[in-house]
Amino acid sequence: MSSSTILLCYAEVFPAYLDPITSVQQTSDGNAVLVSTLDSTIRLMDKSNGQLLQSYKGHLNKDYRIRSCLGPGDSMVISGSEDGKIYAWELFTGKVFETLSAHDAKVASAVTCNILRNEFASAGVDGSVIVWSAT
């Protein structure tokens, strides 16, 4: 780190024996962090103490770097999957409430949200980008 870099928080969230982290996003209030790993699990972690707040399962993420994101208002978690689908979970319950077929059943590798337009976009290894309405 350079002398002008300030470290606000450092937490070793996962023991070394767990699978690698593929994406991370802080909640809009800055109190929690959404963490995706290569064990097909997404975790919402408390930033102050590293406590697991919720986990999200159902998608497949074993081999590729799959990026996940928080939806509008941090009300949902959205992720791609190695089965080519997009999954959406309710933030607090962790239950899947939407599964979308995308990317010709190939890996949906990235999802990003635009909260101002209430949309999200997914990208896949098939070379396509799809813009979805989050409503």
Side-chain angles (χ1 to χ4, degrees):
M1 283 193 279
S2 72
S3 60
S4 63
T5 303
I6 299 172
L7 181 63
L8 296 176
C9 172
Y10 173 81
E12 191 168 306
V13 177
F14 300 108
Y17 60 84
L18 287 181
D19 289 301
I21 294 171
T22 61
S23 76
V24 61
Q25 181 184 359
Q26 187 169 305
T27 56
S28 60
D29 65 7
N31 292 325
V33 178
L34 187 70
V35 181
S36 301
T37 57
L38 283 178
D39 63 352
S40 299
T41 304
I42 303 168
R43 295 168 177 88
L44 185 65
M45 309 296 296
D46 185 298
K47 195 171 92 174
S48 67
N49 60 20
Q51 178 183 354
L52 176 66
L53 301 173
Q54 187 58 266
S55 61
Y56 311 91
K57 295 185 176 207
H59 69 305
L60 180 62
N61 188 14
K62 297 279 187 189
D63 298 314
Y64 289 85
R65 180 180 182 194
I66 305 288
R67 294 184 184 107
S68 305
C69 70
L70 292 159
D74 290 352
S75 63
M76 66 181 84
V77 173
I78 306 170
S79 181
S81 176
E82 292 174 17
D83 63 7
K85 296 178 181 171
I86 306 298
Y87 289 81
W89 295 263
E90 199 281 329
L91 184 76
F92 294 111
T93 67
K95 293 182 181 178
V96 173
F97 71 86
E98 187 78 56
T99 304
L100 303 168
S101 295
H103 305 289
D104 294 327
K106 296 181 181 171
V107 177
S109 59
V111 177
T112 187
C113 294
N114 181 331
I115 59 172
L116 297 176
R117 296 185 57 132
N118 213 25
E119 296 175 339
F120 66 94
S122 64
V125 298
D126 61 355
S128 68
V129 174
I130 301 172
V131 178
W132 308 82
S133 172
T135 56

